[in-house]
Amino acid sequence: MAQWIVAEPVQRLVEALERLPGIGPKTASRLAYYLLRAPDNIALDLAGALQGLKENTTLCERCFNVTVHSPCPICSDPNRDQSLLCVVEEPLDVVALERTGAFHGLYHVLHGRISPLEGIGPEQLKIRELLERIEREPIREVLIATNPTMEGEATAMYIARQIHDRGIRVTRLARGLPVGGDLEYADLNTLTSALAGREEMRTDDK
Amino acid sequence: MAQWIVAEPVQRLVEALERLPGIGPKTASRLAYYLLRAPDNIALDLAGALQGLKENTTLCERCFNVTVHSPCPICSDPNRDQSLLCVVEEPLDVVALERTGAFHGLYHVLHGRISPLEGIGPEQLKIRELLERIEREPIREVLIATNPTMEGEATAMYIARQIHDRGIRVTRLARGLPVGGDLEYADLNTLTSALAGREEMRTDDK
């Protein structure tokens, strides 16, 4: 019964919204009825942005980040450190790292992580392209910034082994307590990592 | 800096998504990058549904629910009780009530509630149309099903006063404990309403 009491165009939108991650039936309904009430341009701007999304973007031929023109602005920037390469899982990770303003090298986006459960092996990721890049470009350090998860760690380990013995420094992001976090609530693994990676205190007076 | 590191078409989608209620910058980014990765039809189906939403729907001339053809299927159904009219704030409330399968009358959608803070008075709602309908149609009972909020109650009271003295029964949905709820966690107002509206226990052996 719930089928025909919702007008078909609304039901169609609800179903399209439900396919997005994290949006359940209730949220989808609420969004659809919000869009019905809202000024026309809210729905139409969103429709236009969705249509232009894949049409107007591509992957950078060098780092595989999402870009309008390839090579992307980061790869094209001569002021970036060409010898330092940061390997990340997803384009969103590039955004997160750029926001820090603390990294000035180049990136390489894997587009996923090794995940036997999901049937994702190294050949589905941009790992071959990474190794070719390391041969071709004057890279001296590869900073592996995969997620600190089981799968991210396995991916990091796999890549580190591939790069090994090429005279390149392989590093990863530090593990430890999140800034602003509470030691009491830190999980065992994080606390263990924080202990193992303990750092010298630096005092201002040298 | 965070501006130009996100490709413009992606940024445009993030901004369009951020305008939806309950979707913040993080969720918008995650959805946009999900749509980039997902099969083309996920984004294009959504775009199509958004474009068709207002084009292909209208409000029912009788009950003001969202519909493809006016009058809507509910108003056109001769099997519905034409003497019982349920007044709701929004089209979604019709969906919720229809899902119960326990209401067989007609609806009237106000499209909002009286809210002085938001500058919404009776004239912005379909209240005049409701009163005209009551004059015109053989309605014997008006069930006011506005939300059990301050504004919903005020709207219900306003409408009840307008209908008063026309020989029509005016009712509202029962207040009480939500089914499956826990008395211990019920708020004061709900518990007070549940006490005031206490009902005779019915036993199966008559």
Side-chain angles (χ1 to χ4, degrees), chain A residues 12 18 20 29 59 98 102 153 176 192 195:
Chain A
R12 191 179 150 206
E18 275 178 358
L20 301 180
S29 285
L59 295 186
E98 283 297 290
E153 295 286 359
T192 307
L195 280 167

Side-chain angles (χ1 to χ4, degrees), chain A residues 1-2 4-10 12-13 16-17 19-23 26-27 29-57 65-68 73-74 77 80 90-92 94-96 98-101 111, chain B residues 1-2 4-10 12-13 16-17 19-23 26-27 29-57 65-68 73-74 77 80 90-92 94-96 98-101 111:
Chain A
M1 174 198 281
W4 70 265
I5 55 166
V6 179
E8 191 277 331
V10 182
R12 191 179 150 206
L13 178 57
L17 286 166
R19 288 157 80 188
L20 301 180
I23 296 194
K26 289 237 167 180
T27 307
S29 285
R30 218 170 290 144
L31 287 173
Y33 281 97
Y34 166 81
L35 286 162
L36 259 179
R37 268 200 320 269
D40 283 9
N41 68 312
I42 303 264
L44 296 181
D45 286 357
L46 182 52
L50 286 161
Q51 277 164 335
L53 182 66
K54 292 215 182 178
E55 253 168 53
N56 303 330
T57 57
N65 195 4
V66 177
T67 182
V68 178
I74 294 176
D77 182 351
R80 312 268 321 194
E90 300 291 352
L92 258 182
V94 174
V95 178
E98 283 297 290
R99 286 216 174 100
T100 67
H111 287 277
Chain B
M1 175 198 282
W4 69 265
I5 55 167
V6 178
E8 191 278 331
V10 182
R12 190 179 150 206
L13 178 57
L17 288 166
R19 289 157 79 187
L20 301 180
I23 296 193
K26 289 237 167 181
T27 307
S29 285
R30 219 169 290 144
L31 287 173
Y33 281 97
Y34 166 80
L35 286 162
L36 259 179
R37 267 201 319 270
D40 283 9
N41 67 312
I42 303 264
L44 295 181
D45 286 358
L46 182 53
L50 285 161
Q51 276 163 336
L53 182 66
K54 291 214 181 176
E55 254 169 51
N56 303 330
T57 57
N65 194 3
V66 178
T67 183
V68 178
I74 295 176
D77 183 352
R80 312 267 322 193
E90 301 290 351
L92 258 182
V94 174
V95 178
E98 282 298 289
R99 285 216 174 101
T100 68
H111 288 276

Side-chain angles (χ1 to χ4, degrees), chain B:
Chain B
M1 175 198 282
Q3 288 312 308
W4 69 265
I5 55 167
V6 178
E8 191 278 331
V10 182
Q11 186 61 30
R12 190 179 150 206
L13 178 57
V14 170
E15 283 165 14
L17 288 166
E18 275 178 357
R19 289 157 79 187
L20 301 180
I23 296 193
K26 289 237 167 181
T27 307
S29 285
R30 219 169 290 144
L31 287 173
Y33 281 97
Y34 166 80
L35 286 162
L36 259 179
R37 267 201 319 270
D40 283 9
N41 67 312
I42 303 264
L44 295 181
D45 286 358
L46 182 53
L50 285 161
Q51 276 163 336
L53 182 66
K54 291 214 181 176
E55 254 169 51
N56 303 330
T57 57
T58 184
L59 295 185
C60 172
E61 66 202 71
R62 197 170 168 204
C63 74
F64 301 98
N65 194 3
V66 178
T67 183
V68 178
H69 306 291
S70 176
C72 74
I74 295 176
C75 286
S76 311
D77 183 352
N79 295 319
R80 312 267 322 193
D81 182 348
Q82 308 286 318
S83 71
L84 174 55
L85 185 64
C86 178
V87 178
V88 295
E89 293 182 20
E90 301 290 351
L92 258 182
D93 301 328
V94 174
V95 178
L97 287 163
E98 282 298 289
R99 285 216 174 101
T100 68
F103 181 77
H104 304 290
L106 301 176
Y107 293 95
H108 189 90
V109 182
L110 296 174
H111 288 276
R113 67 222 66 74
I114 296 171
S115 171
L117 280 176
E118 295 170 66
I120 300 171
E123 61 289 344
Q124 267 101 58
L125 307 176
K126 303 292 182 192
I127 291 182
R128 186 173 51 77
E129 291 83 349
L130 170 65
L131 300 175
E132 286 169 9
R133 233 182 125 176
I134 291 171
E135 294 293 331
R136 207 171 51 231
E137 299 182 21
I139 292 158
R140 286 208 311 269
E141 177 178 347
V142 174
L143 165 54
I144 305 183
T146 51
N147 286 326
T149 58
M150 285 263 285
E151 291 167 345
E153 296 287 359
T155 308
M157 194 56 72
Y158 179 88
I159 292 171
R161 285 203 185 108
Q162 301 285 316
I163 300 177
H164 203 244
D165 288 336
R166 300 193 193 202
I168 290 171
R169 193 177 166 209
V170 180
T171 55
R172 65 169 193 172
L173 293 177
R175 301 288 183 271
L177 296 175
V179 177
D182 192 324
L183 196 133
E184 187 181 341
Y185 297 115
D187 65 289
L188 259 182
N189 289 328
T190 301
L191 209 48
T192 307
S193 296
L195 281 167
R198 63 191 180 276
E199 303 161 346
E200 298 300 327
M201 283 284 284
R202 289 189 201 150
T203 53
D204 282 346
D205 41 275
K206 212 174 68 75

